[in-house]
Amino acid sequence: MAISETLSYLIMFNVIHFKQSWSSADPSPFMHHTIYSIFLVLAIFILAIRLFRETKTLFQKAIFIFFITTMMANLFLNVGRTGQLSFALALIIFLLIQFRLSILKTLIIIIPVLTTVFFLAFNFSTIFKNRTIETYRSIDHLITHRTAMSDSTGLRFMMWHTAYEIIREEPFFGVGIGDDIDALHKVLTTKKIQYQADIGNISDFHNSYIQITLYGGIVGLFLWLITIAVMFRQLDDNRDIKTIGSIMLALLTLYMFIGNFPVSYLTILFTLIIGITLKRPNKQMAL
């Protein structure tokens, strides 16, 4: 992450131009900016746990604080909005589990902290400001005019609205894996012709919960939610490990609202972290 972060800053300030895809407008060197934001958030809180829970020299503390600060800055200077929401969600979990605070005390701490962070990001990060305004305008246009704009937010609405029409026809068991795109084209040519030019060539619906419901209906979605709930319950009782596992699961559930899981980098990270943080069976169970 230190290497990725360094490259991100060098790309951001136009110091290096190694790949054609590297641009100061989207300074994520090795992966999509949404996935990179999740990696950043998890790295920030792993460092924070070690900073608060381990005895360190003044120099070591300075190094940890430096990287936490630069990663937070990188998170808000980068493209995308999921990373900022992920940070807020992870901070809540960190305070609840790591310091065992009540929900009220957590809110008392988190509201001024997040307000300050988002205010600074909005005023000093052009990318963050533009993306926030874009989202607001898109939602406002949708509410006011009852039509979606052809930006990232508007396109997602078109996809989800179309998916709703498909799910209405096969609500319990879905259309089956691989048949969702055929169902999409059928709806676009019969019920949602106005969306055809914008989303006619999509390969997924940019929402894992909708995608699962399309594949397996309400039954499939229910089984997936049960799986996530069981993993939450089976996290290790160690406070530090449980914090990391809870943050990873929370980041995954958040990402699934706007992306299709599994995706390569995130799948690897999720498997690694959950494999480490789930409870170990005792010797009797292992036998």
Side-chain angles (χ1 to χ4, degrees):
M1 285 309 299
I3 294 171
S4 293
E5 182 195 9
T6 301
L7 286 174
S8 180
Y9 277 113
L10 292 175
I11 296 166
M12 191 180 301
F13 295 113
N14 293 308
V15 177
I16 58 173
H17 304 277
F18 180 68
K19 298 172 78 175
Q20 188 175 0
S21 59
W22 288 5
S23 165
S24 58
D26 187 6
S28 302
F30 300 122
M31 60 190 84
H32 188 272
H33 54 258
T34 303
I35 307 300
Y36 177 56
S37 295
I38 291 176
F39 273 73
L40 276 174
V41 170
L42 190 63
I44 287 168
F45 284 96
I46 289 175
L47 289 176
I49 290 169
R50 295 193 61 189
L51 179 63
F52 283 103
R53 299 281 289 171
E54 297 177 5
T55 302
K56 299 192 176 299
T57 65
L58 185 61
F59 177 74
Q60 289 173 326
K61 289 181 180 179
I63 294 294
F64 272 63
I65 292 171
F66 171 78
F67 276 108
I68 289 172
T69 304
T70 55
M71 285 183 182
M72 283 182 61
N74 194 204
L75 183 67
F76 284 88
L77 291 170
N78 229 294
V79 179
R81 294 146 290 189
T82 306
Q84 292 83 37
L85 294 176
S86 298
F87 176 78
L89 181 60
L91 180 58
I92 292 172
I93 294 171
F94 178 75
L95 293 174
L96 286 173
I97 299 177
Q98 195 63 209
F99 295 100
R100 296 177 178 173
L101 297 179
S102 66
I103 295 177
L104 178 60
K105 289 181 179 179
T106 301
L107 290 175
I108 291 172
I109 294 172
I110 201 170
I111 289 174
V113 170
L114 291 180
T115 300
T116 302
V117 170
F118 279 87
F119 175 80
L120 292 174
F122 188 84
N123 285 278
F124 291 98
S125 170
T126 304
I127 294 175
F128 180 78
K129 181 178 181 179
N130 290 342
R131 296 287 283 182
T132 303
I133 294 173
E134 174 193 312
T135 304
Y136 170 79
R137 286 176 177 171
S138 184
I139 295 173
D140 180 67
H141 186 275
L142 179 62
I143 295 171
T144 305
H145 301 283
R146 301 292 181 181
T147 57
M149 298 173 65
S150 297
D151 60 0
S152 60
T153 304
L155 290 173
R156 280 189 170 89
F157 171 79
M158 295 180 200
M159 295 176 202
W160 300 344
H161 195 191
T162 306
Y164 169 74
E165 295 293 338
I166 300 171
I167 293 169
R168 281 208 310 172
E169 296 181 4
E170 298 288 345
F172 295 106
F173 299 103
V175 298
I177 296 175
D179 292 330
D180 54 316
I181 299 302
D182 289 338
L184 164 71
H185 292 153
K186 180 181 176 182
V187 171
L188 288 178
T189 54
T190 57
K191 297 182 180 179
K192 298 297 174 186
I193 300 174
Q194 69 273 26
Y195 296 160
Q196 195 164 23
D198 290 303
I199 63 171
N201 295 320
I202 64 169
S203 57
D204 66 77
F205 287 82
H206 286 65
N207 184 306
S208 298
Y209 301 105
I210 288 175
Q211 198 78 47
I212 291 169
T213 308
L214 285 168
Y215 288 158
I218 296 172
V219 174
L221 178 63
F222 176 74
L223 292 174
W224 173 251
L225 295 177
I226 288 292
T227 303
I228 294 294
V230 169
M231 282 192 281
F232 265 113
R233 289 179 61 86
Q234 291 300 314
L235 289 173
D236 196 287
D237 294 328
N238 178 280
R239 193 189 310 178
D240 298 343
I241 296 177
K242 186 175 183 179
T243 303
I244 294 171
S246 297
I247 289 174
M248 185 71 253
L249 279 169
L251 295 182
L252 173 69
T253 56
L254 177 63
Y255 171 80
M256 287 177 65
F257 280 105
I258 54 88
N260 192 25
F261 181 80
V263 288
S264 56
Y265 292 110
L266 187 57
T267 305
I268 294 168
L269 179 66
F270 173 75
T271 304
L272 172 65
I273 298 300
I274 296 304
I276 292 170
T277 57
L278 288 178
K279 290 177 181 176
R280 302 291 187 276
N282 57 41
K283 293 182 180 179
Q284 185 176 359
M285 290 175 64
L287 293 173

